[in-house]
Amino acid sequence: MPSNTIQELAKSLGYDLLSVDFANALDKQDKLAHFRDEFAIPIRRQVSGDHPVVANESDLDEPCTYLCGNSLGLMPKRARKLVEQEFDAWAQCGVEGHWNHPYNRPWAVIDEAVKDSLARVVGAKPIEVSPMNTLTANVHFMLVSFYRPTDTRFKILIESKAFPSDHYAVVSHLHSRGIDPAVGLITVSPREGESTLRTEDIIDVIQKNNDIALVMLSGVQYYTGQYFEMEKITKAAHDAGCMVGWDLAHAVGNVPLKLHDWNVDFACWCSYKYLNSGPGAIAGTFIHEKYAHDSTRPRYAGWWGNEKSTRFEMAPEFRPSEGAAGYQLSNPSIFPTTCLLGSLQLFDEAGMDQLRAKSVLLTSYLETLLLTVLKDHQEAGHFRILTPVDPEQRGCQLSLEFPEKMLQVFAALQARGVVCDERKPTVIRISPAPLYNSFNDVLRVVTCLKEAMNEIFK
Ligand SMILES: *Cc1c(COP(=O)(O)O)cnc(C)c1O
């Protein structure tokens, strides 16, 4: 049984592990608990479907139990406030807002307003990051620059079950370079009977194939919640002569990242999952400092990547800004960038280290409750946890596999005002986010699961 610390904590505080009192005590000692008030939490009426299950009608006006930050993070209230300021700026200043901004966020340099915070979240230097475009678009742009196949080194390594968009993007690049994907794509899979990838197996494939040009994996796997050993894998791939890129969609704002120190070549992420920047928000890119002054690397250029000092001279010759900024194309959308700013302020105030510490406890609590409260169901094979047991190898998400009746369980959770998400064929993902989720949220999802499963599997 994992997560001894949770059991020991309950014991040392004198509580029953499964009690509401223990959840309350954990919430009370949580120094990040006040951040919950920074977020808008939907009420149960909005999320429970057509047949809500409630004890009292008035429960429908209570906040839902939102455990879906892996898909779309909740709205930081200050994002709305900042965006309202942008409407004011636009209304009051028109085009002047690009340089003279009533709130001191001139649009012409809005990327600078988020750069430092963004760098902190991914463990980078400011010159290495840029808010830009959307995730899949950035994957394409990075492939243009960092996937440079030669006759002897032309393959790309990804996970066999990579997020479809990454798979499509990589295959489309092979096509566009005239390489047959059946030859150019190498995938790594879990071993027979296992759900997650072993680092040694990934490294083994890298070492056994001397024709891999690029290794591109996800930092945290979207389906299983596995947090890959990024530093180790990056090093092994470099030693084997490969470029290394990471898709951090599920890692950013979730797990500790040190992209600069780990010597990652490039990384991309979206901002609407754990970064809470709103649906379709502006994404981010990391390009290591070692490339910051290299203007010869091929790239898809746009005017916003040109040096700021000469951008408005409108010269036909492209002079890239140093670092990741030189890979921008268009002037960034102000509203989503401002949402990102509002959200990143919270990350700065809370601190990634503190968030991670709470996250580890929160997810261990979830795991322990699942394996205790739902012990009979687990032993009967009604569900199992796919995500690694080792906290070092996961973020906040636990992926629960239901070999049967997954959709029924999911619907029963929804009816009870629990928001998580399902991924077909068999998985429900539950992700307690340390910025806004409480220990009581975790207790509630497990209580609701028990109620639902006792009904469904009786
Ligand atoms: C969420 C996610 C995406 C989504 O891509 P968009 O371009 O933002 O729509 C892509 N890749 C991974 C790994 C994801 O988790």
Side-chain angles (χ1 to χ4, degrees):
M1 179 90 167
S3 314
N4 283 325
T5 52
I6 280 287
Q7 264 129 339
E8 282 159 16
L9 199 58
K11 216 173 182 182
S12 72
L13 296 172
Y15 293 106
D16 181 298
L17 174 70
L18 307 181
S19 67
V20 180
D21 286 347
F22 182 44
N24 288 339
L26 289 170
D27 279 329
K28 206 163 169 203
Q29 70 165 34
D30 170 17
K31 292 196 174 64
L32 302 179
H34 62 283
F35 283 102
R36 185 178 175 89
D37 295 335
E38 295 273 355
F39 290 86
I41 303 176
I43 58 169
R44 285 169 66 178
R45 191 186 305 284
Q46 291 295 335
V47 300
S48 300
D50 294 336
H51 305 286
V53 175
V54 281
N56 306 298
E57 190 67 17
S58 63
D59 290 350
L60 288 172
D61 294 313
E62 292 296 315
C64 73
T65 305
Y66 195 88
L67 297 157
C68 205
N70 57 292
S71 183
L72 184 74
L74 289 177
M75 187 197 85
K77 293 172 188 168
R78 67 173 85 181
R80 168 179 274 171
K81 203 178 101 203
L82 293 176
V83 167
E84 275 168 7
Q85 292 176 350
E86 293 303 334
F87 274 111
D88 290 342
W90 185 18
Q92 290 162 19
C93 307
V95 71
E96 262 303 294
H98 280 293
W99 299 279
N100 259 321
H101 191 282
Y103 298 95
N104 206 17
R105 297 191 296 268
W107 300 326
V109 289
I110 190 67
D111 55 316
E112 285 170 12
V114 296
K115 198 165 269 210
D116 289 4
S117 307
L118 205 52
R120 274 191 282 277
V121 170
V122 297
K125 298 186 177 183
I127 197 174
E128 295 175 317
V129 298
S130 190
M132 59 193 210
N133 314 315
T134 51
L135 170 53
T136 307
N138 286 338
V139 168
H140 279 293
F141 294 126
M142 291 303 103
L143 287 170
V144 163
S145 295
F146 293 94
Y147 170 52
R148 309 298 309 165
T150 64
D151 287 347
T152 51
R153 233 179 225 290
F154 56 92
K155 294 187 181 173
I156 304 179
L157 175 79
I158 64 171
E159 306 144 64
S160 62
K161 291 205 176 146
F163 193 90
S165 204
D166 301 39
H167 214 116
Y168 306 157
V170 163
V171 167
S172 69
H173 274 262
L174 292 167
H175 269 303
S176 76
R177 320 286 178 100
I179 297 167
D180 179 359
V183 179
L185 188 69
I186 304 187
T187 60
V188 275
S189 313
R191 291 186 190 181
E192 184 79 32
E194 297 185 5
S195 314
T196 52
L197 281 158
R198 296 194 193 194
T199 305
E200 65 207 80
D201 290 355
I202 299 173
I203 292 177
D204 197 48
V205 175
I206 292 171
Q207 289 173 344
K208 287 207 171 112
N209 293 274
N210 59 6
D211 47 9
I212 300 175
L214 172 69
V215 173
M216 199 180 91
L217 303 171
S218 54
V220 172
Q221 223 281 339
Y222 81 98
Y223 192 78
T224 64
Q226 179 179 12
Y227 173 23
F228 291 109
E229 294 187 89
M230 293 178 57
E231 182 177 18
K232 234 186 206 176
I233 295 168
T234 301
K235 180 158 189 326
H238 281 160
D239 289 347
C242 317
M243 278 281 178
V244 186
W246 292 94
D247 183 328
L248 302 179
H250 285 262
V252 68
N254 178 20
V255 291
L257 296 167
K258 293 200 167 77
L259 299 184
H260 176 85
D261 292 349
W262 296 344
N263 202 19
V264 166
D265 293 297
F266 71 87
C268 306
W269 57 89
C270 51
S271 311
Y272 47 81
K273 292 170 181 167
Y274 298 107
L275 282 192
N276 311 317
S277 300
I282 191 161
T285 289
F286 165 93
I287 297 168
H288 198 275
E289 191 180 30
K290 62 193 169 187
Y291 306 112
H293 308 287
D294 178 3
S295 58
T296 61
R297 179 166 290 276
R299 72 181 89 188
Y300 280 175
W303 77 313
W304 221 254
N306 198 85
E307 271 181 2
K308 287 196 172 105
S309 58
T310 57
R311 183 182 292 155
F312 291 96
E313 288 173 13
M314 309 310 243
E317 186 200 335
F318 178 62
R319 290 171 55 180
S321 293
E322 291 184 335
Y327 288 77
Q328 295 176 94
L329 297 162
S330 304
N331 68 103
S333 258
I334 291 302
F335 298 111
T337 310
T338 305
C339 287
L340 175 62
L341 175 67
S343 172
L344 287 174
Q345 286 176 356
L346 300 174
F347 278 87
D348 276 338
E349 286 168 29
M352 266 317 288
D353 290 347
Q354 285 87 315
L355 283 166
R356 174 65 173 171
K358 173 174 172 185
S359 177
V360 168
L361 198 63
L362 205 52
T363 295
S364 296
Y365 181 55
L366 172 61
E367 180 185 45
T368 306
L369 289 184
L370 286 169
L371 297 178
T372 314
V373 177
L374 303 177
K375 191 164 189 278
D376 293 348
H377 288 294
Q378 192 221 353
E379 285 174 358
H382 298 154
F383 85 103
R384 69 190 181 101
I385 301 175
L386 290 186
T387 311
V389 171
D390 176 6
E392 297 290 314
Q393 293 191 51
R394 67 187 185 199
C396 66
Q397 169 185 328
L398 292 185
S399 299
L400 275 49
E401 176 170 71
F402 296 82
E404 284 171 36
K405 304 189 183 180
M406 180 275 282
L407 286 174
Q408 263 171 276
V409 174
F410 181 71
L413 284 177
Q414 184 186 32
R416 288 163 177 78
V418 174
V419 182
C420 40
D421 76 354
E422 48 91 3
R423 278 288 171 267
K424 292 183 187 68
T426 53
V427 161
I428 292 178
R429 303 185 294 183
I430 302 176
S431 304
L435 256 182
Y436 51 75
N437 282 125
S438 63
F439 290 85
N440 268 286
D441 284 338
V442 168
L443 178 60
R444 181 150 193 277
V445 67
V446 178
T447 307
C448 290
L449 254 179
K450 180 183 177 185
E451 202 178 287
M453 289 179 76
N454 285 351
E455 184 70 21
I456 292 167
F457 293 99
K458 70 172 173 249

